[in-house]
Amino acid sequence: MTDILTVLTTVDSEERARALAAGAVERRVAACAQISTPVTSVYRWEGAVQTDPEWQVLFKTAAARYDDLEAYLRQAHDYDVPEIIATPVVRGNADYLAWVAEETGAAG
């Protein structure tokens, strides 16, 4: 079975989240993406503690497509240092995982 990842990023507006999600699915670097309602992020940036609302986007992709997804996110993202974190899917519905692999062109 193809290895599957979930890949998380955050953006500063729902519109940007929708655009990133649609672009990744259209390019087949992700099978789907889920956009969460705003979360509050607290972080240090340029020497100061910041508190901002952000929208999380969670992509489902084949591990073989990760580099392409990361390249897309880095190119399309407007943050200087975007959060891009991949987590392996350890277990899941075999039919769903096969669908992710098929939609990203990673099915064998």
Side-chain angles (χ1 to χ4, degrees):
M1 180 179 294
T2 303
D3 292 335
I4 302 299
L5 303 173
T6 59
V7 179
L8 177 70
T9 195
T10 55
V11 293
D12 62 359
S13 72
E14 183 177 1
E15 295 75 23
R16 288 187 199 278
R18 287 178 181 270
L20 279 181
V25 173
E26 288 168 1
R27 288 167 177 76
R28 299 183 81 88
V29 294
C32 72
Q34 294 171 316
I35 300 167
S36 296
T37 57
V39 297
T40 301
S41 293
V42 180
Y43 56 97
R44 184 177 304 279
W45 184 251
E46 297 180 346
V49 175
Q50 307 289 324
T51 302
D52 292 303
E54 292 187 301
W55 283 254
Q56 292 180 328
V57 186
L58 185 65
F59 302 90
K60 283 56 167 268
T61 193
R65 297 293 279 155
Y66 174 80
D67 289 340
D68 295 325
L69 175 57
E70 181 181 338
Y72 163 71
L73 291 174
R74 291 173 65 88
Q75 175 272 320
H77 212 293
D78 65 335
Y79 287 7
D80 291 340
V81 182
E83 172 184 17
I84 304 171
I85 297 175
T87 304
V89 173
V90 178
R91 295 186 63 156
N93 174 340
D95 293 336
Y96 180 80
L97 300 180
W99 174 79
V100 170
E102 181 179 325
E103 287 301 309
T104 58

